[in-house]
Amino acid sequence: MNCFQTQQTQADEESLLEALRAAALQAHGAVRAEAAGRGELKMASTLTLGLFVWPVGYIMQIGDSRCYHWTNGKLHLVTRDQTIAQDLVDQGVLPIERMAKSPFRNVLARAIGADEATPEVTRIDLSPDIRVLFCSDGLTKLVSDEEIGEQVALTRSSEQLCRTLLAMALDRGGSDNVTILAARVIPS
């Protein structure tokens, strides 16, 4: 990827977003090629990443791993799950209150290496003391957004937050990968 300066123009930002999308699609192609080389029918992964250039953050996502940010005492979901259930809700076919019980809630519509990969990039404004949390669905299947928000509010240490959320998921029978990364911007 090209260098991205903090004093960027609109054209520079669009160039960065295109570079992020291109990198994700390159990874998608590489996973598909590896699967074909091994004779595998399925090989796929979710991808959620953050690129932070003060005072802006760019969150790119494919799949259902999530990014949240905590500002002004509230947890905000940055990403949108790329699942069949979420697509049905977006199309107005499935009422949102039924999504949690849908058999399609964890069926990926898009992923790196799957039939389709559609990288979505979201821009967030950074502020002093913002907290950012990345996690796989191994956490969000078992720990609600409300519970995640409560733990972010209670815990100042990023390491302790990750340990607490991991323990919650494992105590509830976590059988999927549980990946959690937390960070915060500390005012100088």
Side-chain angles (χ1 to χ4, degrees), residues 177-188:
N177 295 332
V178 182
T179 304
I180 308 164
L181 177 117
R184 67 180 227 213
V185 175
I186 301 172
S188 55

Side-chain angles (χ1 to χ4, degrees), residues 140-161:
T140 57
K141 284 178 188 175
L142 300 167
V143 181
S144 71
D145 287 2
E146 293 77 22
E147 291 171 313
I148 293 170
E150 288 170 8
Q151 292 306 314
V152 173
L154 292 171
T155 313
R156 298 299 292 169
S157 161
S158 295
E159 179 181 352
Q160 187 56 49
L161 174 62

Side-chain angles (χ1 to χ4, degrees), residues 75-94:
L75 188 70
H76 306 271
L77 178 60
V78 176
T79 54
R80 176 193 157 281
D81 290 350
Q82 293 183 353
T83 61
I84 292 176
Q86 183 64 58
D87 286 353
L88 292 172
V89 168
D90 293 347
Q91 295 165 14
V93 175
L94 179 68

Side-chain angles (χ1 to χ4, degrees), residues 63-80:
D64 63 353
S65 290
R66 292 181 175 179
C67 175
Y68 297 89
H69 71 86
W70 173 271
T71 52
N72 301 320
K74 187 172 181 190
L75 188 70
H76 306 271
L77 178 60
V78 176
T79 54
R80 176 193 157 281

Side-chain angles (χ1 to χ4, degrees), residues 100-111:
K101 300 244 189 245
S102 170
F104 302 113
R105 74 183 177 280
N106 295 318
V107 178
L108 293 173
R110 289 166 291 290

Side-chain angles (χ1 to χ4, degrees), residues 24-37:
L25 293 175
Q26 185 177 5
H28 173 66
V31 169
R32 289 182 63 83
E34 181 68 22

